[in-house]
Amino acid sequence: MIIFIIAYLTFSHAQEKKYARVVLIGIDGMSVNVISPLLKKGLLPNISKLIENGGRGELDAFWPLRTMQVWTSIATGKWPGQHGIWDHAKHSNFNPEEIRSKKKGYYYSNDRKCKAIWHLLGDNGISNSFVGWTTTWPAENIKNGIMVAPKVLYGDNRRTTIKGSFWKHVKKDVTPVEYESIVKQNIVEPHTISDKDLELLAIVPEANSPIYKLPKIKQYIYTLRWGFARAKSVEKITLALFRKNPTDVVSFYFQGTDSYLHRFWIFQKNEDEISNRLKQFHIDTKYAPLLKKHFGDVVTNCYREVDQRIGRILDEIKGPNTLVILVSDHGFGDGPKERHPFSAEPYGGIHWSKGMIIASGPTIKNGTVIKDASVLDIAPSLLHFFQLPVAKDMQGKILKSLFNASQQLQKPAKFIESYEKVAQFEVPFKKF
């Protein structure tokens, strides 16, 4: 009898295991040209598995490819003129002149002029958690939702990119507040990341290395520490929250693939190409072999690291009926060969206009080629997956190829005028 009871309780517990219905993964700056060689070499087994069990395609973005505006368009299905986020700063030249601030100021979540997908899902009873998305601080109150919002810190080396990170002392970064202690316990900060940890990305030069005298190198090594800590935090926080509250939708965002490629892109090339870049910035070419030795694998390694983190997260939260969607906001690649266009990033690549979408799950046929996809299509497609109405003032469409294996989801979509009190059919300052 005791054995039977134990067996029954074990079976019941197994039956209670809940998996996410949708996992939405953001990888900043990922594109076909970057990951295809890595996939062929078998270096990204978890991303490769998603592609093999579903499909992939390019994802159109829009210039000027500013991180905050594009990711907010992914979250809302709307152009910047509708959602109101144009850049990380309100005073930058990327803002339309008519609304550009004369004083320095930065965009926050309360500057967004429409609801994001976390609101639209939560308001309709779909529980969700979002970890690490840009321009989400201060964390908003979400019905049926959890928000963990990174913050950009200025004034010291804690601010290594325009994207935010997680810090134990920052307030207003978690909602509901009941999850704050869980989040804080799982935050990893840069000062805890050792040179040994960074071997997963690069070979950190010894303290007396002459390459520390080269422009940006010391700062960029801090970027490695900062990005590694952020990625580790994303993984730990996402899993800790799901163990506490297994939500229907789980979303998390990795930004290091963009930050590293802005800083270390050229070092993956041969020494002649590295030397040519050094010449452009009047840096002695004798350092090319040493830079190649220390940083030549950063581009490959940062994708391998993200792939491993994705694998560990999916192993725990993905079930047989989970739809996984992986998206990026733009691509990455070489700049003009004559001269690198950005003096502030002497060793970096540049943004390319096409990002990627990868999708896997029971609603999508294996081998699907996802065509004509845009960053504006993600929010409408998620609403359709949950059979919720798509707003007519959204600028994207439903990606039907994500649902070509589901008879239910091939039925006509539902529509409403808007999820806003006043519909946003006008698109101010649309210059794309």
Side-chain angles (χ1 to χ4, degrees):
M1 176 64 72
I2 293 175
I3 294 174
F4 173 79
I5 291 172
I6 293 173
Y8 174 79
L9 290 175
T10 302
F11 175 78
S12 299
H13 179 72
Q15 290 292 93
E16 291 171 2
K17 171 66 177 173
K18 184 178 178 183
Y19 297 102
R21 293 175 65 187
V22 170
V23 180
L24 176 63
I25 306 169
I27 299 185
D28 205 302
M30 184 180 69
S31 52
V32 173
N33 60 297
V34 176
I35 73 164
S36 288
L38 306 182
L39 291 168
K40 287 179 182 178
K41 293 178 182 177
L43 299 178
L44 308 178
N46 297 296
I47 292 176
S48 180
K49 190 185 300 182
L50 293 175
I51 295 171
E52 290 168 5
N53 295 326
R56 74 173 184 178
E58 291 187 314
L59 195 66
D60 287 334
F62 51 82
W63 289 89
L65 301 173
R66 302 299 285 174
T67 295
M68 281 61 176
Q69 64 173 221
V70 181
W71 281 106
T72 306
S73 288
I74 291 173
T76 61
K78 295 183 177 182
W79 290 107
Q82 295 171 292
H83 62 60
I85 307 296
W86 292 91
D87 194 15
H88 69 291
K90 297 178 182 179
H91 58 277
S92 77
N93 290 335
F94 295 105
N95 292 271
E97 189 174 355
E98 299 91 326
I99 63 169
R100 193 178 304 154
S101 172
K102 293 181 180 179
K103 296 181 180 180
K104 285 189 175 182
Y106 302 100
Y107 279 110
Y108 299 114
S109 61
N110 47 24
D111 292 305
R112 196 183 60 250
K113 297 178 180 177
C114 62
K115 293 181 179 180
I117 190 65
W118 39 85
H119 296 293
L120 305 183
L121 295 172
D123 289 350
N124 286 281
I126 309 299
S127 62
N128 62 84
S129 62
F130 281 76
V131 177
W133 277 60
T134 65
T135 327
T136 55
W137 188 92
E140 301 168 271
N141 291 315
I142 306 166
K143 190 175 182 180
N144 299 308
I146 305 169
M147 176 62 69
V148 183
K151 186 178 182 183
V152 181
L153 296 183
Y154 294 88
D156 58 25
N157 63 3
R158 287 178 297 183
R159 184 265 188 192
T160 187
T161 80
I162 61 173
K163 304 172 183 69
S165 190
F166 309 99
W167 310 93
K168 293 187 178 182
H169 70 282
V170 166
K171 305 297 183 183
K172 301 180 182 179
D173 56 340
V174 183
T175 55
V177 292
E178 66 191 79
Y179 295 100
E180 185 174 30
S181 62
I182 294 176
V183 171
K184 297 299 185 183
Q185 290 168 22
N186 287 282
I187 287 176
V188 180
E189 294 186 336
H191 70 273
T192 68
I193 303 302
S194 67
D195 291 356
K196 182 70 174 174
D197 293 327
L198 291 185
E199 288 179 3
L200 290 172
L201 297 172
I203 303 171
V204 177
E206 295 179 356
N208 61 352
S209 173
I211 64 175
Y212 282 113
K213 298 178 182 178
L214 303 184
K216 304 282 188 176
I217 292 299
K218 187 176 181 180
Q219 176 189 346
Y220 286 0
I221 290 173
Y222 177 76
T223 299
L224 291 174
R225 250 178 258 286
W226 185 96
F228 190 91
R230 191 192 192 285
K232 193 171 182 179
S233 297
V234 167
E235 179 184 347
K236 287 168 61 67
I237 292 168
T238 299
L239 287 175
L241 289 176
F242 191 79
R243 290 165 190 153
K244 179 70 174 178
N245 182 357
T247 53
D248 296 318
V249 176
V250 176
S251 183
F252 48 94
Y253 160 81
F254 291 112
Q255 67 79 40
T257 44
D258 179 80
S259 294
Y260 299 150
L261 272 58
H262 274 296
R263 290 156 178 79
F264 298 98
W265 176 265
I266 197 63
F267 302 135
Q268 68 180 311
K269 308 289 185 176
N270 60 52
E271 289 184 16
D272 286 343
E273 291 182 80
I274 297 173
S275 294
N276 182 55
R277 179 69 69 83
L278 296 180
K279 284 179 186 177
Q280 292 180 17
F281 292 91
H282 308 291
I283 300 171
D284 196 328
T285 58
K286 72 179 182 182
Y287 294 108
L290 202 54
L291 291 165
K292 175 76 173 174
K293 171 188 172 183
H294 285 285
F295 308 120
D297 293 326
V298 169
V299 174
T300 295
N301 287 345
C302 74
Y303 273 96
R304 294 183 71 180
E305 190 221 354
V306 164
D307 182 83
Q308 291 164 13
R309 295 191 188 282
I310 289 172
R312 290 192 290 266
I313 294 172
L314 291 182
D315 281 348
E316 186 162 338
I317 71 175
K318 176 182 174 293
N321 295 314
T322 302
L323 173 64
V324 180
I325 303 175
L326 190 158
V327 296
S328 62
D329 54 337
H330 56 74
F332 225 98
D334 292 319
K337 294 204 175 192
E338 317 79 60
R339 183 163 183 81
H340 184 63
F342 301 119
S343 59
E345 298 169 356
Y347 319 115
I350 67 168
H351 289 179
W352 284 12
S353 59
K354 289 187 181 293
M356 276 198 77
I357 179 169
I358 296 169
S360 177
T363 68
I364 182 170
K365 293 178 181 177
N366 293 3
T368 295
V369 178
I370 303 171
K371 297 180 179 179
D372 301 319
S374 158
V375 295
L376 297 166
D377 302 335
I378 305 306
S381 297
L382 283 173
L383 290 172
H384 180 63
F385 174 83
F386 287 102
Q387 297 184 278
L388 297 172
V390 175
K392 292 180 181 178
D393 60 354
M394 287 181 168
Q395 302 297 304
K397 61 185 179 299
I398 295 168
L399 291 173
K400 295 181 180 179
S401 55
L402 299 185
F403 313 119
N404 56 16
S406 170
Q407 290 184 345
Q408 179 66 29
L409 292 173
Q410 288 178 27
K411 293 179 180 179
K414 304 172 186 175
F415 290 92
I416 59 172
E417 289 296 293
S418 178
Y419 281 101
E420 309 303 321
K421 292 180 180 178
V422 178
Q424 297 178 308
F425 289 111
E426 293 186 13
V427 185
F429 314 114
K430 183 176 177 182
K431 299 175 182 178
F432 306 104

